[in-house]
Amino acid sequence: MSGWSTPKREHPDTVSLFSDDFHYEQHDTAFPHAFFWKNRGIWVNAHDDFEILYVETGRIRLYVDDTLMILHAGEAAVIDPRLVHFGFLDEGTQHGAILFRDQLALKGLPYPELQVFEQILRGELHFERRVLTPERDAELLDVIRRLLNVYREQNPYWRLSAVSLFCAFAEICLRTSFLSEREEQPARHADTRKSDIALYLRFTEYVNRNYAAPLTLGDVAAELGISESKLYKICRSIQGISPVECILEWRLKQAERMLRGGDTSVTDICYACGFGTVSYFISRFREKYGVTPKQYREKCTEK
């Protein structure tokens, strides 16, 4: 995983982050650690740890390799080591993630069942690729919530708590067959799905570079080397909205950041973010945020 600026830590082996910006960083830690994120997307990444992802509020559309999982509040997913994954968050979403470190594998102890963690990290055992729900997985979700609380509270015995809860987590996963040797699965159009994801990422990169310019669906599709209908299908499949709506969302988010972070006039922000007219900009901004750009800036200034 690649870097962010390291926030202040209450404990050297954990990271708790409550900020507007994040990106991944690799940490050399002695035990698993947790991240806490508020309303920020999960960037494309893969790592040697297995990851537990829990949604506290909101909803995440999580892509793991070629599989889409939609996680609502109170639900979770577990991601095998080395699987590429990323996600899109609804407004107001908060989630926590725990990355397992192999130092917790309890190496050298004469109990074969405790080698389960090493087997996971070696790829010999795999987690079922599905959403954990309260109706089906209440016991496992309870352990996950307790694990997250361990990292939040940071009491003097947090390592003991983490070890015991990870052992409980593994026991439940094995007993319920959520963790097992993976059977061979029939092919599922994985190559096509990965190609669509790659095209969507290229689309977002292009919009990021050119959102201030007049963009037409035809221009963007031509830049990607695909048809307009193909671009529409990819955006609807991955993000749930059309390409035009994706571009509008991006422009509104840039405008919102500019309103929060400076004194640039509303008119200048309008054109800097690619809107054709001030009236259209104000109308769409009010539709998304419930206030005009000027009112939004005043509310930010009051805080």
Side-chain angles (χ1 to χ4, degrees), residues 237-298:
S237 172
I238 292 178
Q239 185 70 327
I241 55 180
S242 71
V244 172
E245 291 171 315
C246 286
I247 294 169
L248 174 62
E249 283 288 307
W250 189 265
R251 286 171 167 163
L252 287 171
K253 287 178 180 177
Q254 305 314 307
E256 186 262 345
R257 291 191 182 102
M258 293 179 71
L259 287 164
R260 280 193 289 121
D263 56 3
T264 307
S265 71
V266 170
T267 298
D268 287 345
I269 290 174
C270 163
Y271 296 120
C273 293
F275 291 95
T277 67
V278 175
S279 60
Y280 177 73
F281 167 53
I282 293 173
S283 172
R284 299 313 298 261
F285 192 92
R286 183 194 292 118
E287 184 179 303
K288 179 173 178 61
Y289 294 101
V291 293
T292 66
K294 181 179 178 180
Q295 291 169 334
Y296 185 86
R297 169 171 281 163
E298 290 171 350

Side-chain angles (χ1 to χ4, degrees), residues 2 9 47 52 78 80 84 102 127 133 141 194 199 221 223 241 248 257 263 280 289-291 297:
S2 60
R9 305 182 186 186
H47 39 74
I52 302 171
V78 185
D80 280 325
V84 175
D102 61 3
F127 294 99
T133 66
L141 287 168
K194 290 175 183 177
L199 282 168
E223 177 68 23
I241 55 180
L248 174 62
R257 291 191 182 102
D263 56 3
Y280 177 73
Y289 294 101
V291 293
R297 169 171 281 163

